[in-house]
Amino acid sequence: MTLKELIENRHSIRKFKDTPVPDEDVLEIIDAIRRGPSSENEQPWHFVIVRNQDFKDKLAALIKKRQEELSAEVAVVNEKLSKRFEKFIRLFTLFSFEAPVLVMVFSTRIPNGATREFKTVGRPVEDLEDLQLMNPGMMSLGACLENGVLTLNEMGYGTTIMTSQSWCHKDIEELVREEIGYETRPGWFLACMFPIGVPEGEPKSPGRRPVEDIVTFFN
């Protein structure tokens, strides 16, 4: 496929066949990711590759438990929102543990361009917080992950980049430490996860807004 075809045929995949994904394919995908750009070449990423189903089951159970606790708390105030959150976790998180491979991506913040300068001259906290809206670390990670998405798509695999579990990342990081032995470095956190597998069924995606609706020219 051409690059244009790869981009146009990219879909968020949430159903997978049990076809194995060889280590060399996973490493090729990670290699594509690491070749992407990052702010100040910080390369703020570490990847934990999970095949172990027992761990994936424990991870699913942990997220489900935390979801039930939060849903019960929310239901006291808004039952409709509580049910929506339960559906959200089921559709956009728990599906991933059925894929042959789960990649957990750890990252860290990268200060925005003028952060040190703002601190040096004593700019207000509000100005420093405003700088974080641009978040160069996450922008870098997003750009690099798309390398991996297009690469695995070309290889016949599917995925979706998931941040739907971020609200309980500390609990997940603790489970990773206990079960896998990977200690999250100070200032680092679970930024996202993505499953890898051969898609099951015909992939579909929602429509996109017309390009003329999202572009402003000033010639």
Side-chain angles (χ1 to χ4, degrees):
M1 278 191 280
T2 65
L3 177 60
K4 186 174 187 294
E5 289 172 333
L6 282 170
I7 292 172
E8 291 178 347
N9 286 285
R10 184 218 61 80
H11 301 279
S12 295
I13 304 300
R14 297 187 175 88
K15 291 184 178 181
F16 303 92
K17 297 180 179 179
D18 58 5
T19 307
V21 180
D23 285 353
E24 54 266 31
D25 287 0
V26 175
L27 291 176
E28 184 173 343
I29 293 163
I30 300 301
D31 184 57
I33 294 172
R34 75 179 182 88
R35 293 179 183 276
S38 63
S39 179
E40 300 185 19
N41 197 31
E42 287 284 344
Q43 303 177 53
W45 40 69
H46 184 86
F47 305 91
V48 174
I49 315 299
V50 179
R51 297 183 187 277
N52 185 282
Q53 191 60 50
D54 181 58
F55 174 79
K56 286 190 285 185
D57 290 343
K58 289 180 179 179
L59 183 54
L62 171 65
I63 293 172
K64 180 63 175 172
K65 180 181 178 182
R66 293 292 178 263
Q67 172 263 306
E68 290 172 349
E69 292 170 350
L70 182 55
S71 292
E73 188 176 350
V74 172
V76 176
V77 182
N78 188 325
E79 187 170 351
K80 184 177 179 180
L81 183 60
S82 173
K83 292 184 180 299
R84 181 183 181 279
F85 184 61
E86 179 182 356
K87 181 179 179 181
F88 170 77
I89 296 300
R90 184 177 70 255
L91 295 180
F92 297 105
T93 304
L94 299 181
F95 77 91
S96 64
F97 306 123
E98 299 175 6
V101 173
L102 178 70
V103 181
M104 309 182 77
V105 186
F106 293 82
S107 188
T108 188
R109 296 177 185 270
I110 298 177
N112 211 307
T115 300
R116 299 177 186 88
E117 289 73 16
F118 274 25
K119 288 182 177 179
T120 298
V121 299
R123 285 286 185 91
V125 172
E126 292 79 7
D127 288 353
L128 289 167
E129 291 177 345
D130 187 61
L131 284 179
Q132 293 306 312
L133 293 175
M134 281 59 80
N135 202 332
M138 295 302 97
M139 290 181 68
S140 299
L141 188 58
C144 292
L145 286 172
E146 188 65 6
N147 281 6
V149 169
L150 295 178
T151 297
L152 65 84
N153 190 13
E154 184 179 43
M155 298 167 72
Y157 299 117
T159 192
T160 181
I161 304 300
M162 301 162 45
T163 58
S164 56
Q165 68 292 324
S166 297
W167 57 279
C168 61
H169 73 94
K170 291 182 179 179
D171 294 312
I172 298 173
E173 289 158 12
E174 179 64 20
L175 183 67
V176 169
R177 186 189 67 78
E178 293 175 351
E179 296 288 329
I180 298 178
Y182 174 70
E183 186 80 45
T184 308
R185 287 175 271 181
W188 284 59
F189 48 85
L190 177 67
C192 64
M193 306 191 302
F194 63 94
I196 303 175
V198 176
E200 177 76 71
E202 188 67 27
K204 296 179 181 179
S205 290
R208 295 295 187 269
R209 293 165 59 190
V211 66
E212 57 269 19
D213 288 356
I214 59 173
V215 173
T216 299
F217 281 102
F218 180 57
N219 297 323

